[in-house]
Amino acid sequence: MKEYFKGISKIKYEKGSDPMTFRYYNPSEKLGDKTMEEHLRFAVAYWHTFGHTGADMFGSAVNKRPWFEYSDPLDASLAKADAAFEFMSKLGVKYFCAHDRDLYPEQETLRKTNEGLDKVIDHIKGLMKGTGIKMLWGTANLFSHPRYVHGAASSCNANAFAFAGAQVKKMLEITKELGGENYVFWGGREGYDTLLNTDMKLERDNMARFYRMAIDYAKEIGFKGQFLIEPKPKEPTKHQYDFDVQTALEFLRAYGLDGYFKFNIEANHATLATHTFQHELRVARISGKMGSIDANMGDMLLGWDTDQFPTNVYDTTLAMYEVLKNGGIAPGGLNFDAHVRRGSFEDRDLFYAHIAGMDAFALGLRIAKDLLDDKVFEKFIEERYSSYNNGIGAKIVSQKVTLKDLEEYVLDMKDAGNVSSRQEMLENILNRYMFKKQ
Ligand code: XUL
Ligand code: CO
């Protein structure tokens, strides 16, 4: 088979300074009851890593990948798959995530598209068997084609809804066939640009109907993977209905769908919603809804989804802290929904970028594990809320007091007795854990 990434062999854990090796990610090393590989469950995002051309609003493609050079769509898709599996094997990542249209491009009819897609899936099945690489999640691209100009499940056009349903049907079948462990819905165009032309109630009702159909079909074909919703507040729409975890959870609860879904939480989507990555993970965790992670980061000085490889170790540490407290992320994983910057156009940059992200999360995992083992925040938080352990607090928690009782309790009290929240002290302690490894 043709070699696409010549001169690059299997990436090793070396603890050294070569950026083409891992310094912190040692897949077989045990941390607690799991290996690092089991904790982190890294996945490569097919669309960014193998499909991104580097084009932006101001300039054309700069990434000259050898698998872009085929004119026939089937040849191009098969070459892309070969390059993808060579890349993932050399990197040592055991999972991938893909949209239907990443695997094979849209043809003039859905019938023709599905025929080509089937051929590529057959080929990918062989590559998966040969390498042991698995599918973390599948999804349908319901946002790129012009027919989704007004949305997919929330479109004003019932034909667009129908096309979207047919695409999800096919991709559920493929995800099942490839043993995908989850299925993601990212409603990129499920939202609005202006309320002046929008029937919000019908659009939201239709989205719920769409999810219901997907649940029913998954049951019918025996797809057992976890359904995930990926919240994002905006872009490409002005407002996306699945704004953030809390909003999407409320939507699911309102339609009686919450039992069927967890969340795929993306760092850059969190910051677009003016939340930290940790906030979104926390909301999901305390609701029992942490499903999977799209591991990337945004640029705080740019107001859009820059999808950069995650290198901020504060963020990865606090993210892994939430993951560990959740008891792990499986059957989800950490999918690098990220692309190299336009200036990093050489093929080897794909390796440097993933190694950077994997090491940042591996280091974050190591630090988060130390923080948890020492119960650094747990002890502080336990003490901070200890007024609810006895006296009036315990009565509030067990719902044994009324407003009248509370009035009687405080009527002659001169001082509520607050103590400091010690934010700066805690931030300093976090720094000491962050840098003791260096
Ligand atoms: C877009 C985004 C998507 C989803 C899958 O912002 O994150 O790539 O992850 O459709
Ligand atoms: Co994403």
Side-chain angles (χ1 to χ4, degrees):
M1 198 191 282
K2 181 170 170 182
E3 189 181 16
Y4 288 92
F5 301 96
K6 290 203 187 80
I8 296 176
S9 40
K10 175 109 183 134
I11 307 298
K12 294 197 206 78
Y13 168 63
E14 273 187 0
K15 267 180 134 175
S17 56
D18 178 358
M20 203 47 105
T21 62
F22 297 118
R23 185 182 165 98
Y24 303 106
Y25 180 54
N26 183 11
S28 58
E29 184 179 330
K30 269 212 145 173
L31 285 187
D33 59 345
K34 291 184 195 128
T35 62
M36 292 190 91
E37 184 174 277
E38 288 163 345
H39 276 293
L40 293 160
R41 296 171 58 81
F42 289 128
V44 170
Y46 215 93
W47 54 102
H48 280 310
T49 301
F50 311 114
H52 189 63
T53 64
D56 67 13
M57 302 85 98
F58 301 99
S60 56
V62 286
N63 299 338
K64 294 187 179 56
R65 313 288 185 219
W67 57 94
F68 289 168
E69 270 151 36
Y70 297 80
S71 51
D72 175 69
L74 184 60
D75 291 343
S77 300
L78 298 177
K80 192 190 203 183
D82 290 342
F85 281 78
E86 180 194 325
F87 178 82
M88 293 186 283
S89 301
K90 286 184 168 172
L91 189 62
V93 166
K94 296 285 166 61
Y95 287 96
F96 71 98
C97 300
H99 301 84
D100 46 2
R101 301 298 174 252
D102 307 330
L103 303 173
Y104 185 71
E106 183 116 7
Q107 304 301 306
E108 54 178 336
T109 63
L110 189 61
R111 189 182 302 282
K112 284 196 179 140
T113 307
N114 287 351
E115 279 166 12
L117 193 50
D118 285 340
K119 291 186 187 133
V120 180
I121 295 304
D122 266 357
H123 186 67
I124 286 183
K125 262 162 79 180
L127 292 168
M128 288 173 75
K129 218 170 156 206
T131 58
I133 292 168
K134 299 186 264 185
M135 185 185 224
L136 186 68
W137 50 258
T139 189
N141 179 330
L142 307 179
F143 44 88
S144 295
H145 194 281
R147 77 171 68 92
Y148 299 124
V149 63
H150 303 307
S154 67
S155 175
C156 52
N157 176 0
N159 285 348
F161 185 111
F163 265 104
Q167 248 182 276
V168 168
K169 172 184 176 288
K170 179 73 179 167
M171 198 52 191
L172 277 170
E173 291 162 9
I174 289 173
T175 305
K176 183 188 175 224
E177 196 176 342
L178 296 183
E181 298 182 27
N182 305 267
Y183 187 90
V184 164
F185 292 89
W186 171 61
R189 295 193 191 273
E190 313 295 25
Y192 62 83
D193 286 317
T194 173
L195 287 175
L196 298 179
N197 60 16
T198 300
D199 183 342
M200 188 194 269
K201 167 104 175 44
L202 178 67
E203 291 199 2
R204 285 167 43 110
D205 287 353
N206 277 350
M207 278 177 66
R209 291 179 181 117
F210 192 77
Y211 288 140
R212 181 69 64 191
M213 288 180 199
I215 292 162
D216 288 347
Y217 192 64
K219 233 181 249 166
E220 190 180 325
I221 63 171
F223 172 67
K224 300 251 158 41
Q226 175 66 53
F227 273 161
L228 302 170
I229 284 181
E230 184 176 323
K232 185 177 181 181
K234 57 184 169 186
E235 198 204 300
T237 53
K238 173 195 174 78
H239 177 90
Q240 188 179 310
Y241 292 134
D242 301 323
F243 191 92
D244 58 6
V245 171
Q246 193 67 61
T247 310
L249 188 55
E250 159 58 20
F251 169 89
L252 292 172
R253 285 177 177 153
Y255 290 94
L257 294 168
D258 49 311
Y260 301 98
F261 288 89
K262 289 187 176 178
F263 294 102
N264 183 37
I265 295 156
E266 177 164 327
N268 204 164
H269 295 180
T271 52
L272 280 178
T274 63
H275 299 312
T276 61
F277 185 21
Q278 189 188 13
H279 166 96
E280 286 292 81
L281 292 166
R282 177 73 60 92
V283 176
R285 173 170 70 78
I286 63 172
S287 316
K289 294 288 179 197
M290 192 195 279
S292 199
I293 288 177
D294 267 7
N296 63 12
M297 69 177 187
D299 185 321
M300 293 308 147
L301 299 182
L302 300 173
W304 64 92
D305 195 13
T306 57
D307 282 345
Q308 289 167 233
F309 276 85
T311 51
N312 182 325
V313 182
Y314 281 95
D315 286 345
T316 60
T317 298
L318 297 174
M320 289 315 295
Y321 174 84
E322 297 298 329
V323 169
L324 289 175
K325 285 200 73 95
N326 192 56
I329 192 76
L334 267 64
N335 166 49
F336 290 109
D337 191 356
H339 59 257
V340 289
R341 297 305 86 194
R342 187 170 152 84
S344 307
F345 54 81
E346 293 178 22
D347 293 354
R348 62 193 292 114
D349 287 307
L350 295 175
F351 281 93
Y352 287 130
H354 283 83
I355 292 167
M358 290 162 80
D359 255 353
F361 267 95
L363 181 54
L365 167 65
R366 290 176 187 277
I367 300 167
K369 176 84 172 47
D370 284 352
L371 285 165
L372 263 170
D373 285 349
D374 294 351
K375 295 193 166 48
V376 174
F377 303 125
E378 282 66 20
K379 280 188 207 147
F380 188 86
I381 289 172
E382 200 181 301
E383 177 59 28
R384 188 162 189 240
Y385 293 87
S386 60
S387 66
Y388 288 93
N389 293 344
N390 42 50
I392 193 72
K395 286 187 191 153
I396 291 169
V397 170
S398 56
Q399 296 209 286
K400 286 203 182 104
V401 276
T402 64
L403 292 183
K404 263 202 248 161
D405 299 327
L406 295 180
E407 183 195 52
E408 193 184 312
Y409 178 71
V410 295
L411 212 50
D412 298 311
M413 191 181 279
K414 294 211 173 81
D415 180 7
N418 276 319
V419 293
S420 167
S421 59
R422 303 258 187 271
Q423 180 171 334
E424 298 76 5
M425 179 195 82
L426 292 167
E427 286 167 347
N428 191 25
I429 294 173
L430 173 61
N431 272 345
R432 291 178 183 187
Y433 274 79
M434 296 285 303
F435 297 105
K436 86 177 174 194
K437 290 272 177 202
Q438 301 305 310

PDB file of all heavy atoms in Angstrom, residues 45 47-48 99 137 184 186 230-232 264-267 269 293-296 305 307 335-338, ligand 2:
ATOM      1  N   ALA A  45     -10.437  13.489  14.264  1.00  0.00           N
ATOM      2  CA  ALA A  45     -11.624  13.984  13.534  1.00  0.00           C
ATOM      3  C   ALA A  45     -11.325  13.942  12.039  1.00  0.00           C
ATOM      4  O   ALA A  45     -10.481  14.697  11.544  1.00  0.00           O
ATOM      5  CB  ALA A  45     -11.957  15.402  13.970  1.00  0.00           C
ATOM      6  N   TRP A  47     -12.872  14.949   9.432  1.00  0.00           N
ATOM      7  CA  TRP A  47     -13.128  16.126   8.584  1.00  0.00           C
ATOM      8  C   TRP A  47     -11.983  17.127   8.641  1.00  0.00           C
ATOM      9  O   TRP A  47     -11.516  17.594   7.600  1.00  0.00           O
ATOM     10  CB  TRP A  47     -14.462  16.793   8.936  1.00  0.00           C
ATOM     11  CG  TRP A  47     -14.673  17.172  10.370  1.00  0.00           C
ATOM     12  CD1 TRP A  47     -14.573  18.419  10.913  1.00  0.00           C
ATOM     13  CD2 TRP A  47     -15.043  16.304  11.448  1.00  0.00           C
ATOM     14  NE1 TRP A  47     -14.847  18.380  12.256  1.00  0.00           N
ATOM     15  CE2 TRP A  47     -15.139  17.100  12.606  1.00  0.00           C
ATOM     16  CE3 TRP A  47     -15.299  14.936  11.560  1.00  0.00           C
ATOM     17  CZ2 TRP A  47     -15.480  16.589  13.861  1.00  0.00           C
ATOM     18  CZ3 TRP A  47     -15.640  14.417  12.801  1.00  0.00           C
ATOM     19  CH2 TRP A  47     -15.725  15.231  13.930  1.00  0.00           C
ATOM     20  N   HIS A  48     -11.508  17.435   9.843  1.00  0.00           N
ATOM     21  CA  HIS A  48     -10.438  18.432   9.944  1.00  0.00           C
ATOM     22  C   HIS A  48      -9.110  17.864   9.459  1.00  0.00           C
ATOM     23  O   HIS A  48      -8.403  18.475   8.680  1.00  0.00           O
ATOM     24  CB  HIS A  48     -10.239  18.854  11.405  1.00  0.00           C
ATOM     25  CG  HIS A  48     -11.237  19.859  11.882  1.00  0.00           C
ATOM     26  ND1 HIS A  48     -11.516  21.009  11.193  1.00  0.00           N
ATOM     27  CD2 HIS A  48     -12.000  19.898  13.002  1.00  0.00           C
ATOM     28  CE1 HIS A  48     -12.407  21.715  11.870  1.00  0.00           C
ATOM     29  NE2 HIS A  48     -12.727  21.063  12.970  1.00  0.00           N
ATOM     30  N   HIS A  99     -18.270  12.414   9.826  1.00  0.00           N
ATOM     31  CA  HIS A  99     -19.577  12.676   9.211  1.00  0.00           C
ATOM     32  C   HIS A  99     -19.682  11.756   7.994  1.00  0.00           C
ATOM     33  O   HIS A  99     -18.652  11.388   7.394  1.00  0.00           O
ATOM     34  CB  HIS A  99     -19.670  14.103   8.671  1.00  0.00           C
ATOM     35  CG  HIS A  99     -19.470  15.194   9.674  1.00  0.00           C
ATOM     36  ND1 HIS A  99     -18.225  15.640  10.029  1.00  0.00           N
ATOM     37  CD2 HIS A  99     -20.347  15.938  10.369  1.00  0.00           C
ATOM     38  CE1 HIS A  99     -18.347  16.622  10.910  1.00  0.00           C
ATOM     39  NE2 HIS A  99     -19.629  16.822  11.143  1.00  0.00           N
ATOM     40  N   TRP A 137     -17.501   7.874  17.172  1.00  0.00           N
ATOM     41  CA  TRP A 137     -18.865   8.257  16.817  1.00  0.00           C
ATOM     42  C   TRP A 137     -19.004   8.609  15.344  1.00  0.00           C
ATOM     43  O   TRP A 137     -18.054   9.003  14.690  1.00  0.00           O
ATOM     44  CB  TRP A 137     -19.429   9.353  17.697  1.00  0.00           C
ATOM     45  CG  TRP A 137     -18.674  10.622  17.963  1.00  0.00           C
ATOM     46  CD1 TRP A 137     -17.979  10.903  19.099  1.00  0.00           C
ATOM     47  CD2 TRP A 137     -18.607  11.823  17.155  1.00  0.00           C
ATOM     48  NE1 TRP A 137     -17.469  12.183  19.031  1.00  0.00           N
ATOM     49  CE2 TRP A 137     -17.849  12.771  17.862  1.00  0.00           C
ATOM     50  CE3 TRP A 137     -19.116  12.175  15.911  1.00  0.00           C
ATOM     51  CZ2 TRP A 137     -17.572  14.049  17.375  1.00  0.00           C
ATOM     52  CZ3 TRP A 137     -18.851  13.454  15.409  1.00  0.00           C
ATOM     53  CH2 TRP A 137     -18.086  14.362  16.151  1.00  0.00           C
ATOM     54  N   VAL A 184     -23.559  11.277  17.119  1.00  0.00           N
ATOM     55  CA  VAL A 184     -23.639  12.700  17.497  1.00  0.00           C
ATOM     56  C   VAL A 184     -24.617  13.476  16.617  1.00  0.00           C
ATOM     57  O   VAL A 184     -24.697  13.257  15.405  1.00  0.00           O
ATOM     58  CB  VAL A 184     -22.226  13.346  17.413  1.00  0.00           C
ATOM     59  CG1 VAL A 184     -22.297  14.867  17.418  1.00  0.00           C
ATOM     60  CG2 VAL A 184     -21.352  12.859  18.576  1.00  0.00           C
ATOM     61  N   TRP A 186     -24.978  17.405  15.877  1.00  0.00           N
ATOM     62  CA  TRP A 186     -24.608  18.808  16.042  1.00  0.00           C
ATOM     63  C   TRP A 186     -25.507  19.606  15.107  1.00  0.00           C
ATOM     64  O   TRP A 186     -25.435  19.452  13.887  1.00  0.00           O
ATOM     65  CB  TRP A 186     -23.136  19.077  15.710  1.00  0.00           C
ATOM     66  CG  TRP A 186     -22.888  20.557  15.682  1.00  0.00           C
ATOM     67  CD1 TRP A 186     -23.058  21.428  16.719  1.00  0.00           C
ATOM     68  CD2 TRP A 186     -22.496  21.342  14.553  1.00  0.00           C
ATOM     69  NE1 TRP A 186     -22.788  22.720  16.309  1.00  0.00           N
ATOM     70  CE2 TRP A 186     -22.443  22.684  14.981  1.00  0.00           C
ATOM     71  CE3 TRP A 186     -22.182  21.060  13.231  1.00  0.00           C
ATOM     72  CZ2 TRP A 186     -22.096  23.743  14.136  1.00  0.00           C
ATOM     73  CZ3 TRP A 186     -21.832  22.110  12.383  1.00  0.00           C
ATOM     74  CH2 TRP A 186     -21.783  23.427  12.842  1.00  0.00           C
ATOM     75  N   GLU A 230     -24.433  17.841  20.616  1.00  0.00           N
ATOM     76  CA  GLU A 230     -23.261  18.713  20.772  1.00  0.00           C
ATOM     77  C   GLU A 230     -23.719  20.168  20.788  1.00  0.00           C
ATOM     78  O   GLU A 230     -24.035  20.739  19.742  1.00  0.00           O
ATOM     79  CB  GLU A 230     -22.283  18.469  19.621  1.00  0.00           C
ATOM     80  CG  GLU A 230     -21.002  19.268  19.770  1.00  0.00           C
ATOM     81  CD  GLU A 230     -19.988  18.956  18.666  1.00  0.00           C
ATOM     82  OE1 GLU A 230     -19.892  17.786  18.243  1.00  0.00           O
ATOM     83  OE2 GLU A 230     -19.305  19.890  18.245  1.00  0.00           O
ATOM     84  N   PRO A 231     -23.787  20.779  21.969  1.00  0.00           N
ATOM     85  CA  PRO A 231     -24.268  22.165  22.024  1.00  0.00           C
ATOM     86  C   PRO A 231     -23.270  23.160  21.434  1.00  0.00           C
ATOM     87  O   PRO A 231     -22.064  22.930  21.440  1.00  0.00           O
ATOM     88  CB  PRO A 231     -24.429  22.442  23.533  1.00  0.00           C
ATOM     89  CG  PRO A 231     -24.332  21.127  24.215  1.00  0.00           C
ATOM     90  CD  PRO A 231     -23.482  20.265  23.321  1.00  0.00           C
ATOM     91  N   LYS A 232     -23.814  24.237  20.901  1.00  0.00           N
ATOM     92  CA  LYS A 232     -23.016  25.370  20.405  1.00  0.00           C
ATOM     93  C   LYS A 232     -23.974  26.556  20.364  1.00  0.00           C
ATOM     94  O   LYS A 232     -25.119  26.387  19.943  1.00  0.00           O
ATOM     95  CB  LYS A 232     -22.465  25.045  19.006  1.00  0.00           C
ATOM     96  CG  LYS A 232     -21.516  26.110  18.450  1.00  0.00           C
ATOM     97  CD  LYS A 232     -20.952  25.681  17.084  1.00  0.00           C
ATOM     98  CE  LYS A 232     -20.001  26.722  16.544  1.00  0.00           C
ATOM     99  NZ  LYS A 232     -19.447  26.359  15.220  1.00  0.00           N
ATOM    100  N   ASN A 264     -22.026  15.837  23.889  1.00  0.00           N
ATOM    101  CA  ASN A 264     -20.659  15.904  23.388  1.00  0.00           C
ATOM    102  C   ASN A 264     -20.223  17.350  23.586  1.00  0.00           C
ATOM    103  O   ASN A 264     -20.747  18.256  22.931  1.00  0.00           O
ATOM    104  CB  ASN A 264     -20.622  15.516  21.909  1.00  0.00           C
ATOM    105  CG  ASN A 264     -19.207  15.499  21.369  1.00  0.00           C
ATOM    106  OD1 ASN A 264     -18.277  15.106  22.085  1.00  0.00           O
ATOM    107  ND2 ASN A 264     -19.018  15.934  20.133  1.00  0.00           N
ATOM    108  N   ILE A 265     -19.293  17.551  24.490  1.00  0.00           N
ATOM    109  CA  ILE A 265     -18.953  18.915  24.907  1.00  0.00           C
ATOM    110  C   ILE A 265     -17.669  19.380  24.241  1.00  0.00           C
ATOM    111  O   ILE A 265     -16.629  18.735  24.359  1.00  0.00           O
ATOM    112  CB  ILE A 265     -18.829  18.962  26.439  1.00  0.00           C
ATOM    113  CG1 ILE A 265     -20.201  18.663  27.027  1.00  0.00           C
ATOM    114  CG2 ILE A 265     -18.330  20.318  26.909  1.00  0.00           C
ATOM    115  CD1 ILE A 265     -20.146  18.117  28.400  1.00  0.00           C
ATOM    116  N   GLU A 266     -17.783  20.484  23.523  1.00  0.00           N
ATOM    117  CA  GLU A 266     -16.619  21.021  22.802  1.00  0.00           C
ATOM    118  C   GLU A 266     -16.129  22.280  23.494  1.00  0.00           C
ATOM    119  O   GLU A 266     -16.904  23.202  23.775  1.00  0.00           O
ATOM    120  CB  GLU A 266     -17.009  21.311  21.349  1.00  0.00           C
ATOM    121  CG  GLU A 266     -15.868  21.943  20.579  1.00  0.00           C
ATOM    122  CD  GLU A 266     -16.050  21.891  19.071  1.00  0.00           C
ATOM    123  OE1 GLU A 266     -16.650  20.912  18.563  1.00  0.00           O
ATOM    124  OE2 GLU A 266     -15.577  22.817  18.403  1.00  0.00           O
ATOM    125  N   ALA A 267     -14.815  22.323  23.724  1.00  0.00           N
ATOM    126  CA  ALA A 267     -14.215  23.452  24.459  1.00  0.00           C
ATOM    127  C   ALA A 267     -14.512  24.788  23.789  1.00  0.00           C
ATOM    128  O   ALA A 267     -14.934  25.750  24.437  1.00  0.00           O
ATOM    129  CB  ALA A 267     -12.710  23.236  24.565  1.00  0.00           C
ATOM    130  N   HIS A 269     -16.889  25.586  21.761  1.00  0.00           N
ATOM    131  CA  HIS A 269     -18.316  25.918  21.811  1.00  0.00           C
ATOM    132  C   HIS A 269     -18.666  26.490  23.186  1.00  0.00           C
ATOM    133  O   HIS A 269     -19.495  27.384  23.302  1.00  0.00           O
ATOM    134  CB  HIS A 269     -19.175  24.682  21.535  1.00  0.00           C
ATOM    135  CG  HIS A 269     -19.024  24.141  20.147  1.00  0.00           C
ATOM    136  ND1 HIS A 269     -19.714  23.038  19.706  1.00  0.00           N
ATOM    137  CD2 HIS A 269     -18.263  24.554  19.104  1.00  0.00           C
ATOM    138  CE1 HIS A 269     -19.389  22.798  18.438  1.00  0.00           C
ATOM    139  NE2 HIS A 269     -18.503  23.697  18.061  1.00  0.00           N
ATOM    140  N   ILE A 293     -16.165  14.287  24.483  1.00  0.00           N
ATOM    141  CA  ILE A 293     -15.535  15.621  24.428  1.00  0.00           C
ATOM    142  C   ILE A 293     -14.985  15.881  23.038  1.00  0.00           C
ATOM    143  O   ILE A 293     -14.332  15.007  22.453  1.00  0.00           O
ATOM    144  CB  ILE A 293     -14.395  15.702  25.479  1.00  0.00           C
ATOM    145  CG1 ILE A 293     -14.997  15.763  26.885  1.00  0.00           C
ATOM    146  CG2 ILE A 293     -13.482  16.900  25.217  1.00  0.00           C
ATOM    147  CD1 ILE A 293     -13.972  15.778  28.005  1.00  0.00           C
ATOM    148  N   ASP A 294     -15.248  17.091  22.515  1.00  0.00           N
ATOM    149  CA  ASP A 294     -14.541  17.553  21.326  1.00  0.00           C
ATOM    150  C   ASP A 294     -13.409  18.425  21.825  1.00  0.00           C
ATOM    151  O   ASP A 294     -13.612  19.558  22.290  1.00  0.00           O
ATOM    152  CB  ASP A 294     -15.478  18.297  20.363  1.00  0.00           C
ATOM    153  CG  ASP A 294     -16.068  17.357  19.322  1.00  0.00           C
ATOM    154  OD1 ASP A 294     -15.845  16.131  19.434  1.00  0.00           O
ATOM    155  OD2 ASP A 294     -16.741  17.843  18.386  1.00  0.00           O
ATOM    156  N   ALA A 295     -12.205  17.867  21.789  1.00  0.00           N
ATOM    157  CA  ALA A 295     -11.039  18.477  22.428  1.00  0.00           C
ATOM    158  C   ALA A 295     -10.390  19.484  21.482  1.00  0.00           C
ATOM    159  O   ALA A 295      -9.750  19.098  20.503  1.00  0.00           O
ATOM    160  CB  ALA A 295     -10.047  17.378  22.797  1.00  0.00           C
ATOM    161  N   ASN A 296     -10.609  20.756  21.760  1.00  0.00           N
ATOM    162  CA  ASN A 296      -9.952  21.808  20.985  1.00  0.00           C
ATOM    163  C   ASN A 296      -9.833  23.030  21.873  1.00  0.00           C
ATOM    164  O   ASN A 296     -10.026  22.935  23.097  1.00  0.00           O
ATOM    165  CB  ASN A 296     -10.731  22.104  19.689  1.00  0.00           C
ATOM    166  CG  ASN A 296     -12.130  22.638  19.931  1.00  0.00           C
ATOM    167  OD1 ASN A 296     -12.489  23.003  21.045  1.00  0.00           O
ATOM    168  ND2 ASN A 296     -12.924  22.684  18.886  1.00  0.00           N
ATOM    169  N   ASP A 305     -15.364  30.265  16.071  1.00  0.00           N
ATOM    170  CA  ASP A 305     -14.949  28.907  16.406  1.00  0.00           C
ATOM    171  C   ASP A 305     -13.647  28.600  15.681  1.00  0.00           C
ATOM    172  O   ASP A 305     -13.665  28.107  14.563  1.00  0.00           O
ATOM    173  CB  ASP A 305     -16.089  27.983  15.907  1.00  0.00           C
ATOM    174  CG  ASP A 305     -16.023  26.594  16.480  1.00  0.00           C
ATOM    175  OD1 ASP A 305     -15.274  26.383  17.439  1.00  0.00           O
ATOM    176  OD2 ASP A 305     -16.737  25.722  15.951  1.00  0.00           O
ATOM    177  N   ASP A 307     -11.346  26.451  16.442  1.00  0.00           N
ATOM    178  CA  ASP A 307     -11.020  25.007  16.439  1.00  0.00           C
ATOM    179  C   ASP A 307      -9.519  24.741  16.456  1.00  0.00           C
ATOM    180  O   ASP A 307      -8.988  24.025  15.591  1.00  0.00           O
ATOM    181  CB  ASP A 307     -11.633  24.329  15.198  1.00  0.00           C
ATOM    182  CG  ASP A 307     -13.119  24.069  15.352  1.00  0.00           C
ATOM    183  OD1 ASP A 307     -13.632  24.136  16.485  1.00  0.00           O
ATOM    184  OD2 ASP A 307     -13.785  23.808  14.331  1.00  0.00           O
ATOM    185  N   ASN A 335     -12.109  13.671  21.219  1.00  0.00           N
ATOM    186  CA  ASN A 335     -11.975  13.780  19.771  1.00  0.00           C
ATOM    187  C   ASN A 335     -11.374  15.141  19.416  1.00  0.00           C
ATOM    188  O   ASN A 335     -11.924  16.179  19.809  1.00  0.00           O
ATOM    189  CB  ASN A 335     -13.375  13.639  19.151  1.00  0.00           C
ATOM    190  CG  ASN A 335     -13.427  14.057  17.704  1.00  0.00           C
ATOM    191  OD1 ASN A 335     -12.598  13.635  16.898  1.00  0.00           O
ATOM    192  ND2 ASN A 335     -14.389  14.909  17.352  1.00  0.00           N
ATOM    193  N   PHE A 336     -10.269  15.123  18.675  1.00  0.00           N
ATOM    194  CA  PHE A 336      -9.619  16.383  18.312  1.00  0.00           C
ATOM    195  C   PHE A 336     -10.376  17.072  17.179  1.00  0.00           C
ATOM    196  O   PHE A 336      -9.994  16.970  16.018  1.00  0.00           O
ATOM    197  CB  PHE A 336      -8.143  16.150  17.960  1.00  0.00           C
ATOM    198  CG  PHE A 336      -7.332  15.801  19.169  1.00  0.00           C
ATOM    199  CD1 PHE A 336      -6.843  14.522  19.360  1.00  0.00           C
ATOM    200  CD2 PHE A 336      -7.109  16.754  20.155  1.00  0.00           C
ATOM    201  CE1 PHE A 336      -6.125  14.197  20.498  1.00  0.00           C
ATOM    202  CE2 PHE A 336      -6.386  16.442  21.300  1.00  0.00           C
ATOM    203  CZ  PHE A 336      -5.902  15.159  21.473  1.00  0.00           C
ATOM    204  N   ASP A 337     -11.437  17.768  17.558  1.00  0.00           N
ATOM    205  CA  ASP A 337     -12.203  18.544  16.577  1.00  0.00           C
ATOM    206  C   ASP A 337     -11.442  19.856  16.373  1.00  0.00           C
ATOM    207  O   ASP A 337     -11.851  20.920  16.849  1.00  0.00           O
ATOM    208  CB  ASP A 337     -13.625  18.782  17.098  1.00  0.00           C
ATOM    209  CG  ASP A 337     -14.537  19.333  16.016  1.00  0.00           C
ATOM    210  OD1 ASP A 337     -14.037  19.595  14.907  1.00  0.00           O
ATOM    211  OD2 ASP A 337     -15.742  19.508  16.280  1.00  0.00           O
ATOM    212  N   ALA A 338     -10.325  19.754  15.682  1.00  0.00           N
ATOM    213  CA  ALA A 338      -9.392  20.879  15.577  1.00  0.00           C
ATOM    214  C   ALA A 338      -8.635  20.796  14.260  1.00  0.00           C
ATOM    215  O   ALA A 338      -8.411  19.708  13.734  1.00  0.00           O
ATOM    216  CB  ALA A 338      -8.381  20.806  16.724  1.00  0.00           C
TER     217      ALA A 338
HETATM  218 CO    CO B   2     -17.381  19.535  17.419  1.00  0.00          CO
END
